Amino acid sequence: MKIKITLIVLLLIGLNSFCQNNYEKGYIITNDNTKKECYIKNEDWLNTPNQFLYKISLNADSNIGSIKNIKEFGVVNLFKYKRFDVNIDKSSHKLDKLDHSRQSSFVEDTLFLRTLIVGSVNLYSYRNGDLVRFFYKKGKESINQLEYKLYKDVNNRIGKNLNYLKQLREYFPCNKTNTKRIKYKERDLVEYFIKYNSCNNNSYDNIENINYYSIKSKQKSKLNFYAKLGINFSKLQLSLPGTLVNEEREANFDLKTIFSPGIEIEYQLPFNNNKWAIFIDPSYQSYKSETVQKHSFLSSQNKIYSISYKSLELPLGARYYSFLDNHKTHKLFFNAGITIDIPFNSSATEKFNSQFSPPKSSTISFKLIPNFFLGFGYVMDEKYKIEFRYNASRKLNLSSFKNNNSVIGPQHFWQSSYDTFAIIFSYKLF
């Protein structure tokens, strides 16, 4: 199994190296205030970056733009990041890491900030995991953070420092909105500053009002539905370790080709250019086989093992897309996840045949148990998809053999492995 997984990983890396990077025409401003046109790799960052890749021309090598040598970078009418020296409160909002001080704990730092609104007052944001902070800058004044903090009071209850509401009322009053309903979120703050800028439209001359938040919000999450058909290559093995009174028993069933119909529901996340997705793709499968095991020294006695294994598979996973063209209609994808397998009307039978005694049989049943999977594939024209998926060996969590004839002695606990490699064809319904 390790060899199979290694080969898959190497293949994924090799395929990914052919994928086209999404470089878009933009600009950088260096420390000496020189503005250069270039092509920036648009990664639609969820967290605020401290470096990025750019090219002077599409055929040139990539360069790293860092916070040390770049003052500003962006793609016109898409996004803009500016470097600032700021005082920022980095207090965590995780409940187990809250402190007991209501006051913001500011530290000095140099950061890229994402521009949300350009107007008489500019609004910026910074994100790093659960840390989200917003900043404002009015004209040539210094940049400041809008204060918001969670803390624990003397009774260990969660308190909120909502000083940002006071800042909005005092520094940016506007009779078009009520600050009490403004949450410390992008949408609320953007809407407030848009209204404030319109209230004070004549405060500055020749101000270009740009709503970068609105531009970014056009890229939304996507929900995709597929009909799919899997071709599974499956093999099952049962084994029972030997004891003092029972010999070792093993049943190796044939490799079977199984058709597995199903559907897929995919949710593409609204960041990183919709490259990340989560999905669930339930499908039905049915495996049937029979094998004979001859007794090691009694030729007149053998065991016949038959199996009927039906289940509803519920794979739940995460997927990463790598675009092959600028229109994002052709792309590779790589996914991994866990499969919850729900067996029904399934059983295995062990039958003893002997010339000197009547046939005796016993059965086992199956229980739910999860396993992991890895896959990669190709999407064409946003409609057709093919995937190659490797499922880790599944332990079927067998119950013990139950003696149907009350002749075969005590129950024994069997071990099992169910291995599957699948080729999955999908068609997008909507």
PDB file of all heavy atoms in Angstrom, residues 43-73:
ATOM      1  N   GLU A  43      -3.256  34.988  -6.055  1.00  0.00           N
ATOM      2  CA  GLU A  43      -3.611  33.818  -5.263  1.00  0.00           C
ATOM      3  C   GLU A  43      -4.860  34.052  -4.429  1.00  0.00           C
ATOM      4  O   GLU A  43      -5.229  33.198  -3.607  1.00  0.00           O
ATOM      5  CB  GLU A  43      -2.431  33.415  -4.378  1.00  0.00           C
ATOM      6  CG  GLU A  43      -1.197  33.048  -5.175  1.00  0.00           C
ATOM      7  CD  GLU A  43      -0.093  32.445  -4.315  1.00  0.00           C
ATOM      8  OE1 GLU A  43      -0.411  31.610  -3.462  1.00  0.00           O
ATOM      9  OE2 GLU A  43       1.064  32.835  -4.497  1.00  0.00           O
ATOM     10  N   ASP A  44      -5.489  35.197  -4.601  1.00  0.00           N
ATOM     11  CA  ASP A  44      -6.725  35.511  -3.879  1.00  0.00           C
ATOM     12  C   ASP A  44      -6.582  35.117  -2.415  1.00  0.00           C
ATOM     13  O   ASP A  44      -7.345  34.318  -1.885  1.00  0.00           O
ATOM     14  CB  ASP A  44      -7.911  34.802  -4.530  1.00  0.00           C
ATOM     15  CG  ASP A  44      -9.242  35.272  -3.968  1.00  0.00           C
ATOM     16  OD1 ASP A  44      -9.317  36.431  -3.520  1.00  0.00           O
ATOM     17  OD2 ASP A  44     -10.194  34.474  -3.968  1.00  0.00           O
ATOM     18  N   TRP A  45      -5.625  35.720  -1.759  1.00  0.00           N
ATOM     19  CA  TRP A  45      -5.210  35.318  -0.426  1.00  0.00           C
ATOM     20  C   TRP A  45      -6.348  35.402   0.584  1.00  0.00           C
ATOM     21  O   TRP A  45      -7.057  36.410   0.682  1.00  0.00           O
ATOM     22  CB  TRP A  45      -4.057  36.210   0.050  1.00  0.00           C
ATOM     23  CG  TRP A  45      -2.846  36.138  -0.805  1.00  0.00           C
ATOM     24  CD1 TRP A  45      -1.801  35.281  -0.679  1.00  0.00           C
ATOM     25  CD2 TRP A  45      -2.524  36.970  -1.939  1.00  0.00           C
ATOM     26  NE1 TRP A  45      -0.856  35.509  -1.655  1.00  0.00           N
ATOM     27  CE2 TRP A  45      -1.275  36.540  -2.443  1.00  0.00           C
ATOM     28  CE3 TRP A  45      -3.177  38.036  -2.572  1.00  0.00           C
ATOM     29  CZ2 TRP A  45      -0.659  37.141  -3.531  1.00  0.00           C
ATOM     30  CZ3 TRP A  45      -2.582  38.620  -3.663  1.00  0.00           C
ATOM     31  CH2 TRP A  45      -1.333  38.179  -4.139  1.00  0.00           C
ATOM     32  N   LEU A  46      -6.498  34.352   1.377  1.00  0.00           N
ATOM     33  CA  LEU A  46      -7.417  34.397   2.517  1.00  0.00           C
ATOM     34  C   LEU A  46      -6.759  35.165   3.651  1.00  0.00           C
ATOM     35  O   LEU A  46      -7.357  36.066   4.241  1.00  0.00           O
ATOM     36  CB  LEU A  46      -7.781  32.986   2.969  1.00  0.00           C
ATOM     37  CG  LEU A  46      -8.686  32.901   4.201  1.00  0.00           C
ATOM     38  CD1 LEU A  46     -10.040  33.557   3.932  1.00  0.00           C
ATOM     39  CD2 LEU A  46      -8.876  31.449   4.633  1.00  0.00           C
ATOM     40  N   ASN A  47      -5.511  34.811   3.974  1.00  0.00           N
ATOM     41  CA  ASN A  47      -4.729  35.549   4.956  1.00  0.00           C
ATOM     42  C   ASN A  47      -3.882  36.602   4.245  1.00  0.00           C
ATOM     43  O   ASN A  47      -3.440  36.401   3.111  1.00  0.00           O
ATOM     44  CB  ASN A  47      -3.820  34.601   5.746  1.00  0.00           C
ATOM     45  CG  ASN A  47      -4.603  33.668   6.640  1.00  0.00           C
ATOM     46  OD1 ASN A  47      -5.602  34.062   7.246  1.00  0.00           O
ATOM     47  ND2 ASN A  47      -4.171  32.422   6.724  1.00  0.00           N
ATOM     48  N   THR A  48      -3.666  37.707   4.902  1.00  0.00           N
ATOM     49  CA  THR A  48      -2.876  38.782   4.304  1.00  0.00           C
ATOM     50  C   THR A  48      -1.445  38.303   4.069  1.00  0.00           C
ATOM     51  O   THR A  48      -0.795  37.815   4.998  1.00  0.00           O
ATOM     52  CB  THR A  48      -2.863  40.006   5.228  1.00  0.00           C
ATOM     53  OG1 THR A  48      -4.212  40.374   5.527  1.00  0.00           O
ATOM     54  CG2 THR A  48      -2.154  41.175   4.569  1.00  0.00           C
ATOM     55  N   PRO A  49      -0.936  38.424   2.852  1.00  0.00           N
ATOM     56  CA  PRO A  49       0.418  37.917   2.575  1.00  0.00           C
ATOM     57  C   PRO A  49       1.489  38.864   3.089  1.00  0.00           C
ATOM     58  O   PRO A  49       1.251  40.055   3.305  1.00  0.00           O
ATOM     59  CB  PRO A  49       0.441  37.858   1.042  1.00  0.00           C
ATOM     60  CG  PRO A  49      -0.482  38.970   0.624  1.00  0.00           C
ATOM     61  CD  PRO A  49      -1.576  39.004   1.659  1.00  0.00           C
ATOM     62  N   ASN A  50       2.685  38.324   3.297  1.00  0.00           N
ATOM     63  CA  ASN A  50       3.850  39.179   3.552  1.00  0.00           C
ATOM     64  C   ASN A  50       4.844  39.105   2.403  1.00  0.00           C
ATOM     65  O   ASN A  50       5.889  39.752   2.432  1.00  0.00           O
ATOM     66  CB  ASN A  50       4.526  38.825   4.888  1.00  0.00           C
ATOM     67  CG  ASN A  50       4.888  37.360   4.979  1.00  0.00           C
ATOM     68  OD1 ASN A  50       5.115  36.698   3.968  1.00  0.00           O
ATOM     69  ND2 ASN A  50       4.923  36.831   6.183  1.00  0.00           N
ATOM     70  N   GLN A  51       4.502  38.287   1.385  1.00  0.00           N
ATOM     71  CA  GLN A  51       5.272  38.260   0.150  1.00  0.00           C
ATOM     72  C   GLN A  51       4.391  37.714  -0.965  1.00  0.00           C
ATOM     73  O   GLN A  51       3.333  37.143  -0.719  1.00  0.00           O
ATOM     74  CB  GLN A  51       6.546  37.421   0.301  1.00  0.00           C
ATOM     75  CG  GLN A  51       6.300  35.948   0.574  1.00  0.00           C
ATOM     76  CD  GLN A  51       7.596  35.178   0.728  1.00  0.00           C
ATOM     77  OE1 GLN A  51       8.617  35.715   1.144  1.00  0.00           O
ATOM     78  NE2 GLN A  51       7.569  33.908   0.374  1.00  0.00           N
ATOM     79  N   PHE A  52       4.842  37.896  -2.206  1.00  0.00           N
ATOM     80  CA  PHE A  52       4.066  37.468  -3.360  1.00  0.00           C
ATOM     81  C   PHE A  52       5.017  37.240  -4.518  1.00  0.00           C
ATOM     82  O   PHE A  52       6.194  37.618  -4.478  1.00  0.00           O
ATOM     83  CB  PHE A  52       3.016  38.525  -3.723  1.00  0.00           C
ATOM     84  CG  PHE A  52       3.601  39.867  -4.084  1.00  0.00           C
ATOM     85  CD1 PHE A  52       3.819  40.224  -5.412  1.00  0.00           C
ATOM     86  CD2 PHE A  52       3.958  40.771  -3.089  1.00  0.00           C
ATOM     87  CE1 PHE A  52       4.374  41.443  -5.739  1.00  0.00           C
ATOM     88  CE2 PHE A  52       4.518  42.006  -3.408  1.00  0.00           C
ATOM     89  CZ  PHE A  52       4.725  42.344  -4.733  1.00  0.00           C
ATOM     90  N   LEU A  53       4.507  36.611  -5.578  1.00  0.00           N
ATOM     91  CA  LEU A  53       5.309  36.352  -6.778  1.00  0.00           C
ATOM     92  C   LEU A  53       4.875  37.291  -7.897  1.00  0.00           C
ATOM     93  O   LEU A  53       3.686  37.561  -8.071  1.00  0.00           O
ATOM     94  CB  LEU A  53       5.132  34.900  -7.230  1.00  0.00           C
ATOM     95  CG  LEU A  53       5.658  33.808  -6.292  1.00  0.00           C
ATOM     96  CD1 LEU A  53       5.335  32.429  -6.857  1.00  0.00           C
ATOM     97  CD2 LEU A  53       7.163  33.950  -6.081  1.00  0.00           C
ATOM     98  N   TYR A  54       5.845  37.770  -8.658  1.00  0.00           N
ATOM     99  CA  TYR A  54       5.522  38.608  -9.809  1.00  0.00           C
ATOM    100  C   TYR A  54       6.556  38.383 -10.905  1.00  0.00           C
ATOM    101  O   TYR A  54       7.654  37.867 -10.671  1.00  0.00           O
ATOM    102  CB  TYR A  54       5.483  40.090  -9.412  1.00  0.00           C
ATOM    103  CG  TYR A  54       6.833  40.709  -9.073  1.00  0.00           C
ATOM    104  CD1 TYR A  54       7.568  41.391 -10.047  1.00  0.00           C
ATOM    105  CD2 TYR A  54       7.360  40.621  -7.792  1.00  0.00           C
ATOM    106  CE1 TYR A  54       8.791  41.962  -9.755  1.00  0.00           C
ATOM    107  CE2 TYR A  54       8.589  41.182  -7.481  1.00  0.00           C
ATOM    108  CZ  TYR A  54       9.296  41.849  -8.461  1.00  0.00           C
ATOM    109  OH  TYR A  54      10.522  42.412  -8.167  1.00  0.00           O
ATOM    110  N   LYS A  55       6.183  38.761 -12.144  1.00  0.00           N
ATOM    111  CA  LYS A  55       7.061  38.666 -13.301  1.00  0.00           C
ATOM    112  C   LYS A  55       7.066  39.999 -14.030  1.00  0.00           C
ATOM    113  O   LYS A  55       6.025  40.658 -14.133  1.00  0.00           O
ATOM    114  CB  LYS A  55       6.584  37.572 -14.265  1.00  0.00           C
ATOM    115  CG  LYS A  55       6.613  36.157 -13.717  1.00  0.00           C
ATOM    116  CD  LYS A  55       6.108  35.174 -14.778  1.00  0.00           C
ATOM    117  CE  LYS A  55       6.180  33.736 -14.289  1.00  0.00           C
ATOM    118  NZ  LYS A  55       5.725  32.777 -15.327  1.00  0.00           N
ATOM    119  N   ILE A  56       8.212  40.368 -14.548  1.00  0.00           N
ATOM    120  CA  ILE A  56       8.293  41.585 -15.351  1.00  0.00           C
ATOM    121  C   ILE A  56       7.569  41.388 -16.677  1.00  0.00           C
ATOM    122  O   ILE A  56       6.930  42.294 -17.207  1.00  0.00           O
ATOM    123  CB  ILE A  56       9.761  41.992 -15.587  1.00  0.00           C
ATOM    124  CG1 ILE A  56      10.450  42.263 -14.239  1.00  0.00           C
ATOM    125  CG2 ILE A  56       9.844  43.223 -16.483  1.00  0.00           C
ATOM    126  CD1 ILE A  56       9.773  43.350 -13.411  1.00  0.00           C
ATOM    127  N   SER A  57       7.634  40.174 -17.221  1.00  0.00           N
ATOM    128  CA  SER A  57       6.852  39.790 -18.399  1.00  0.00           C
ATOM    129  C   SER A  57       6.409  38.357 -18.194  1.00  0.00           C
ATOM    130  O   SER A  57       6.960  37.633 -17.348  1.00  0.00           O
ATOM    131  CB  SER A  57       7.681  39.925 -19.682  1.00  0.00           C
ATOM    132  OG  SER A  57       8.728  38.968 -19.694  1.00  0.00           O
ATOM    133  N   LEU A  58       5.407  37.936 -18.958  1.00  0.00           N
ATOM    134  CA  LEU A  58       4.862  36.598 -18.744  1.00  0.00           C
ATOM    135  C   LEU A  58       5.886  35.503 -19.011  1.00  0.00           C
ATOM    136  O   LEU A  58       5.781  34.407 -18.458  1.00  0.00           O
ATOM    137  CB  LEU A  58       3.630  36.389 -19.641  1.00  0.00           C
ATOM    138  CG  LEU A  58       2.360  37.108 -19.200  1.00  0.00           C
ATOM    139  CD1 LEU A  58       1.252  36.894 -20.224  1.00  0.00           C
ATOM    140  CD2 LEU A  58       1.918  36.622 -17.824  1.00  0.00           C
ATOM    141  N   ASN A  59       6.859  35.778 -19.858  1.00  0.00           N
ATOM    142  CA  ASN A  59       7.875  34.779 -20.189  1.00  0.00           C
ATOM    143  C   ASN A  59       9.100  34.850 -19.283  1.00  0.00           C
ATOM    144  O   ASN A  59      10.016  34.040 -19.417  1.00  0.00           O
ATOM    145  CB  ASN A  59       8.314  34.929 -21.648  1.00  0.00           C
ATOM    146  CG  ASN A  59       7.176  34.658 -22.618  1.00  0.00           C
ATOM    147  OD1 ASN A  59       6.340  33.789 -22.378  1.00  0.00           O
ATOM    148  ND2 ASN A  59       7.139  35.401 -23.716  1.00  0.00           N
ATOM    149  N   ALA A  60       9.112  35.820 -18.374  1.00  0.00           N
ATOM    150  CA  ALA A  60      10.265  35.990 -17.486  1.00  0.00           C
ATOM    151  C   ALA A  60      10.157  35.056 -16.283  1.00  0.00           C
ATOM    152  O   ALA A  60       9.119  34.452 -16.028  1.00  0.00           O
ATOM    153  CB  ALA A  60      10.351  37.441 -17.025  1.00  0.00           C
ATOM    154  N   ASP A  61      11.270  34.957 -15.557  1.00  0.00           N
ATOM    155  CA  ASP A  61      11.270  34.170 -14.329  1.00  0.00           C
ATOM    156  C   ASP A  61      10.502  34.904 -13.239  1.00  0.00           C
ATOM    157  O   ASP A  61      10.367  36.137 -13.257  1.00  0.00           O
ATOM    158  CB  ASP A  61      12.707  33.912 -13.856  1.00  0.00           C
ATOM    159  CG  ASP A  61      13.477  33.012 -14.811  1.00  0.00           C
ATOM    160  OD1 ASP A  61      12.821  32.192 -15.494  1.00  0.00           O
ATOM    161  OD2 ASP A  61      14.715  33.136 -14.878  1.00  0.00           O
ATOM    162  N   SER A  62      10.013  34.140 -12.268  1.00  0.00           N
ATOM    163  CA  SER A  62       9.273  34.734 -11.154  1.00  0.00           C
ATOM    164  C   SER A  62      10.222  35.408 -10.172  1.00  0.00           C
ATOM    165  O   SER A  62      11.341  34.937  -9.933  1.00  0.00           O
ATOM    166  CB  SER A  62       8.469  33.660 -10.422  1.00  0.00           C
ATOM    167  OG  SER A  62       7.489  33.100 -11.263  1.00  0.00           O
ATOM    168  N   ASN A  63       9.770  36.522  -9.626  1.00  0.00           N
ATOM    169  CA  ASN A  63      10.488  37.216  -8.558  1.00  0.00           C
ATOM    170  C   ASN A  63       9.626  37.210  -7.297  1.00  0.00           C
ATOM    171  O   ASN A  63       8.394  37.124  -7.366  1.00  0.00           O
ATOM    172  CB  ASN A  63      10.779  38.671  -8.946  1.00  0.00           C
ATOM    173  CG  ASN A  63      11.637  38.769 -10.190  1.00  0.00           C
ATOM    174  OD1 ASN A  63      12.758  38.280 -10.225  1.00  0.00           O
ATOM    175  ND2 ASN A  63      11.095  39.386 -11.231  1.00  0.00           N
ATOM    176  N   ILE A  64      10.280  37.323  -6.152  1.00  0.00           N
ATOM    177  CA  ILE A  64       9.568  37.399  -4.886  1.00  0.00           C
ATOM    178  C   ILE A  64       9.524  38.849  -4.437  1.00  0.00           C
ATOM    179  O   ILE A  64      10.555  39.490  -4.258  1.00  0.00           O
ATOM    180  CB  ILE A  64      10.254  36.540  -3.803  1.00  0.00           C
ATOM    181  CG1 ILE A  64      10.238  35.064  -4.216  1.00  0.00           C
ATOM    182  CG2 ILE A  64       9.549  36.724  -2.459  1.00  0.00           C
ATOM    183  CD1 ILE A  64      10.959  34.159  -3.231  1.00  0.00           C
ATOM    184  N   GLY A  65       8.322  39.355  -4.301  1.00  0.00           N
ATOM    185  CA  GLY A  65       8.145  40.679  -3.732  1.00  0.00           C
ATOM    186  C   GLY A  65       7.855  40.531  -2.252  1.00  0.00           C
ATOM    187  O   GLY A  65       6.916  39.828  -1.875  1.00  0.00           O
ATOM    188  N   SER A  66       8.623  41.162  -1.413  1.00  0.00           N
ATOM    189  CA  SER A  66       8.447  41.006   0.032  1.00  0.00           C
ATOM    190  C   SER A  66       8.126  42.341   0.670  1.00  0.00           C
ATOM    191  O   SER A  66       8.274  43.410   0.060  1.00  0.00           O
ATOM    192  CB  SER A  66       9.698  40.403   0.670  1.00  0.00           C
ATOM    193  OG  SER A  66      10.717  41.369   0.768  1.00  0.00           O
ATOM    194  N   ILE A  67       7.727  42.264   1.901  1.00  0.00           N
ATOM    195  CA  ILE A  67       7.372  43.469   2.643  1.00  0.00           C
ATOM    196  C   ILE A  67       8.595  44.346   2.894  1.00  0.00           C
ATOM    197  O   ILE A  67       8.473  45.526   3.221  1.00  0.00           O
ATOM    198  CB  ILE A  67       6.689  43.079   3.974  1.00  0.00           C
ATOM    199  CG1 ILE A  67       5.842  44.230   4.501  1.00  0.00           C
ATOM    200  CG2 ILE A  67       7.704  42.586   4.994  1.00  0.00           C
ATOM    201  CD1 ILE A  67       4.866  43.824   5.551  1.00  0.00           C
ATOM    202  N   LYS A  68       9.776  43.795   2.681  1.00  0.00           N
ATOM    203  CA  LYS A  68      11.010  44.557   2.889  1.00  0.00           C
ATOM    204  C   LYS A  68      11.337  45.458   1.698  1.00  0.00           C
ATOM    205  O   LYS A  68      11.963  46.506   1.873  1.00  0.00           O
ATOM    206  CB  LYS A  68      12.183  43.607   3.155  1.00  0.00           C
ATOM    207  CG  LYS A  68      12.063  42.837   4.463  1.00  0.00           C
ATOM    208  CD  LYS A  68      13.279  41.944   4.673  1.00  0.00           C
ATOM    209  CE  LYS A  68      13.188  41.184   5.986  1.00  0.00           C
ATOM    210  NZ  LYS A  68      14.371  40.307   6.196  1.00  0.00           N
ATOM    211  N   ASN A  69      10.935  45.061   0.492  1.00  0.00           N
ATOM    212  CA  ASN A  69      11.341  45.844  -0.682  1.00  0.00           C
ATOM    213  C   ASN A  69      10.182  46.391  -1.518  1.00  0.00           C
ATOM    214  O   ASN A  69      10.402  47.071  -2.507  1.00  0.00           O
ATOM    215  CB  ASN A  69      12.278  45.006  -1.585  1.00  0.00           C
ATOM    216  CG  ASN A  69      11.667  43.669  -1.962  1.00  0.00           C
ATOM    217  OD1 ASN A  69      10.466  43.573  -2.199  1.00  0.00           O
ATOM    218  ND2 ASN A  69      12.483  42.641  -2.026  1.00  0.00           N
ATOM    219  N   ILE A  70       8.938  46.088  -1.133  1.00  0.00           N
ATOM    220  CA  ILE A  70       7.770  46.553  -1.887  1.00  0.00           C
ATOM    221  C   ILE A  70       6.864  47.373  -0.967  1.00  0.00           C
ATOM    222  O   ILE A  70       6.485  46.914   0.113  1.00  0.00           O
ATOM    223  CB  ILE A  70       6.979  45.382  -2.484  1.00  0.00           C
ATOM    224  CG1 ILE A  70       7.867  44.546  -3.421  1.00  0.00           C
ATOM    225  CG2 ILE A  70       5.748  45.890  -3.223  1.00  0.00           C
ATOM    226  CD1 ILE A  70       8.357  45.276  -4.641  1.00  0.00           C
ATOM    227  N   LYS A  71       6.517  48.581  -1.409  1.00  0.00           N
ATOM    228  CA  LYS A  71       5.624  49.437  -0.626  1.00  0.00           C
ATOM    229  C   LYS A  71       4.155  49.202  -0.974  1.00  0.00           C
ATOM    230  O   LYS A  71       3.271  49.394  -0.127  1.00  0.00           O
ATOM    231  CB  LYS A  71       5.956  50.912  -0.870  1.00  0.00           C
ATOM    232  CG  LYS A  71       7.332  51.332  -0.406  1.00  0.00           C
ATOM    233  CD  LYS A  71       7.616  52.788  -0.735  1.00  0.00           C
ATOM    234  CE  LYS A  71       6.719  53.733   0.047  1.00  0.00           C
ATOM    235  NZ  LYS A  71       7.087  55.151  -0.184  1.00  0.00           N
ATOM    236  N   GLU A  72       3.907  48.802  -2.216  1.00  0.00           N
ATOM    237  CA  GLU A  72       2.525  48.610  -2.661  1.00  0.00           C
ATOM    238  C   GLU A  72       2.521  47.693  -3.868  1.00  0.00           C
ATOM    239  O   GLU A  72       3.449  47.712  -4.682  1.00  0.00           O
ATOM    240  CB  GLU A  72       1.891  49.966  -3.010  1.00  0.00           C
ATOM    241  CG  GLU A  72       0.454  49.894  -3.494  1.00  0.00           C
ATOM    242  CD  GLU A  72      -0.112  51.283  -3.787  1.00  0.00           C
ATOM    243  OE1 GLU A  72       0.223  52.231  -3.032  1.00  0.00           O
ATOM    244  OE2 GLU A  72      -0.864  51.432  -4.778  1.00  0.00           O
ATOM    245  N   PHE A  73       1.500  46.886  -3.987  1.00  0.00           N
ATOM    246  CA  PHE A  73       1.323  46.075  -5.194  1.00  0.00           C
ATOM    247  C   PHE A  73      -0.161  45.831  -5.404  1.00  0.00           C
ATOM    248  O   PHE A  73      -0.975  45.880  -4.465  1.00  0.00           O
ATOM    249  CB  PHE A  73       2.084  44.743  -5.094  1.00  0.00           C
ATOM    250  CG  PHE A  73       1.529  43.761  -4.098  1.00  0.00           C
ATOM    251  CD1 PHE A  73       0.657  42.751  -4.494  1.00  0.00           C
ATOM    252  CD2 PHE A  73       1.886  43.833  -2.752  1.00  0.00           C
ATOM    253  CE1 PHE A  73       0.151  41.834  -3.579  1.00  0.00           C
ATOM    254  CE2 PHE A  73       1.388  42.922  -1.830  1.00  0.00           C
ATOM    255  CZ  PHE A  73       0.519  41.917  -2.246  1.00  0.00           C
TER     256      PHE A  73
END
